Amino acid sequence: MSIKINNSVGTVVKEYFLISLGIIIYVLGWTIFLVPNNMVGGGATGISSIIQYATGGAIKMGYSYFVINLVLLIAGFITLGKAFGVKTIYAIILASIGLNLFQDLIPVDSEFIHSFVLENNNKLMCTITGGIMVGFGIGMSMSQGGSTGGTDILALIVNKYRNVSPGRMILVIDLVIIGSSILVPSYSADGKLVPFVDKVLTVVYGYILVTICSVVIDQYLSGSKQSVQLIILSKKYEAIADAITRDLHRGVTVLDGQGWYTKEPSHVLMVLTRKTDMNLLFKYIKTIDPEVFMSVSSVMGVYGRGFDTIKVKTSESKDSSIS
């Protein structure tokens, strides 16, 4: 019995749709909640916001954001591969256009921003809300192999070789960028110079912003990469195992068992897969055997081919000292 579900095209469409949605959420977080309050974040967007505020809006964030990322993309191509580069170029172009376009569609002096953001929300609430949206958008993009650029690229490069969470890596770099903003003059949307005291508060809010972003990113990525272990008992275990390995390209381990009540021998299938693949897996199994018995449990981590890579710091000096 063969069940064919051609989802290769659908997978690509889904990936780019989620990257686009993540970028839109990311841009809206900046446009609606952060830019109207002269907030400064981290990464390429943080540097771009500093440039926009310093020039009084003459150089919009989208332009400097795109230029900064051109250099970082080279490292992404070399280290993370062409597939990552294509998705990241798409995300950066979309974000660059969005950072300029949405500021034109929803200007700082608009009635919407004035009534919805500046009057009804203080800077702390705008920082929290904007941070959640920015972090969620970055996490959604990164989970599909894309990136909003900047420190995201550096974080993914480091994460490829070391067990350092992307959110934590982004946080460290962003703290330096936000702290440096206090040395650069800033102008509000109405052309007034931002007082030094307000700039100090902006730095504090910026630190709160990137902290929220890093937590949201890590939570999103850990959820999207969470793995589960399935224990499957079925008289049609051979057909189920064949379908999983042939069509879903997941490994299956067949264990010999015995039902203690019936005293009859049985075969138990053990499957490790991503939590996001469970629904498709269930459809396959239920189609083959509607009477199947299954148990599902979450696992702390799965390392090996098709899952995460064990990243350890090696030391040639230590190895050479062992005799």
Side-chain angles (χ1 to χ4, degrees):
M1 180 178 180
S2 178
I3 303 173
K4 295 295 182 180
I5 297 179
N6 187 5
N7 61 347
S8 58
V9 176
T11 299
V12 174
V13 173
K14 176 186 174 183
E15 288 176 352
Y16 277 90
F17 172 77
L18 291 177
I19 291 175
S20 302
L21 182 59
I23 294 299
I24 291 173
I25 295 173
Y26 170 80
V27 170
L28 286 177
W30 271 99
T31 303
I32 297 176
F33 294 101
L34 302 179
V35 172
N37 288 285
N38 271 60
M39 292 295 180
V40 176
T45 317
I47 298 175
S48 301
S49 66
I50 295 175
I51 295 174
Q52 176 170 313
Y53 303 148
T55 59
I59 302 178
K60 290 186 177 181
M61 294 174 61
Y63 298 120
S64 53
Y65 173 85
F66 182 77
V67 172
I68 293 170
N69 277 290
L70 284 178
V71 178
L72 294 173
L73 276 175
I74 299 175
F77 269 121
I78 296 173
T79 308
L80 301 172
K82 294 181 179 179
F84 175 88
V86 171
K87 293 178 180 178
T88 300
I89 289 176
Y90 171 77
I92 289 174
I93 293 175
L94 187 61
S96 300
I97 296 173
L99 286 170
N100 286 349
L101 179 62
F102 279 95
Q103 287 192 65
D104 292 333
L105 296 176
I106 315 174
V108 176
D109 56 355
S110 66
E111 182 64 26
F112 172 78
I113 295 295
H114 183 73
S115 59
F116 180 71
V117 178
L118 300 179
E119 286 187 358
N120 297 326
N121 296 280
N122 55 33
K123 284 192 174 184
L124 180 59
M125 287 303 301
C126 289
T127 301
I128 295 174
T129 307
I132 292 174
M133 292 181 66
V134 170
F136 188 85
I138 293 175
M140 181 177 291
S141 179
M142 292 175 70
S143 69
Q144 303 303 313
S147 169
T148 53
T151 51
D152 304 350
I153 298 177
L154 295 178
L156 288 177
I157 292 174
V158 174
N159 181 254
K160 181 177 181 179
Y161 300 104
R162 295 289 184 268
N163 260 331
V164 179
S165 69
R168 184 176 299 176
M169 187 65 188
I170 291 172
L171 175 62
V172 173
I173 301 174
D174 290 351
L175 291 179
V176 177
I177 295 175
I178 294 172
S180 65
S181 68
I182 201 171
L183 304 175
V184 182
S186 298
Y187 295 89
S188 59
D190 56 4
K192 295 181 180 179
L193 182 67
V194 177
F196 181 78
V197 176
D198 291 344
K199 288 179 63 62
V200 174
L201 292 176
T202 299
V203 171
V204 175
Y205 286 127
Y207 288 154
I208 296 174
L209 171 64
V210 295
T211 302
I212 294 172
C213 285
S214 66
V215 172
V216 174
I217 291 170
D218 282 345
Q219 289 299 316
Y220 189 97
L221 292 179
S222 63
S224 64
K225 292 185 177 180
Q226 185 177 354
S227 299
V228 293
Q229 177 179 275
L230 278 72
I231 300 297
I232 306 168
L233 290 92
S234 171
K235 293 181 179 179
K236 301 179 180 179
Y237 71 94
E238 291 182 342
I240 293 175
D242 288 340
I244 293 174
T245 54
R246 180 183 60 245
D247 300 333
L248 299 181
H249 307 291
R250 284 298 183 190
V252 180
T253 301
V254 181
L255 306 174
D256 292 327
Q258 182 180 12
W260 196 246
Y261 180 78
T262 62
K263 299 298 189 294
E264 295 181 357
S266 62
H267 297 278
V268 181
L269 304 182
M270 184 180 71
V271 181
L272 291 168
T273 187
R274 296 294 189 190
K275 189 175 183 180
T276 53
D277 297 331
M278 267 202 319
N279 289 335
L280 183 61
L281 190 64
F282 286 167
K283 289 180 181 179
Y284 267 70
I285 296 173
K286 292 291 288 184
T287 301
I288 297 172
D289 185 5
E291 303 299 325
V292 67
F293 181 86
M294 290 186 295
S295 69
V296 182
S297 58
S298 298
V299 294
M300 292 296 295
V302 181
Y303 301 95
R305 185 175 181 180
F307 291 90
D308 296 328
T309 304
I310 299 176
K311 303 161 190 171
V312 293
K313 185 176 181 181
T314 59
S315 175
E316 295 181 359
S317 59
K318 289 184 179 180
D319 294 338
S320 60
S321 64
I322 299 176
S323 58

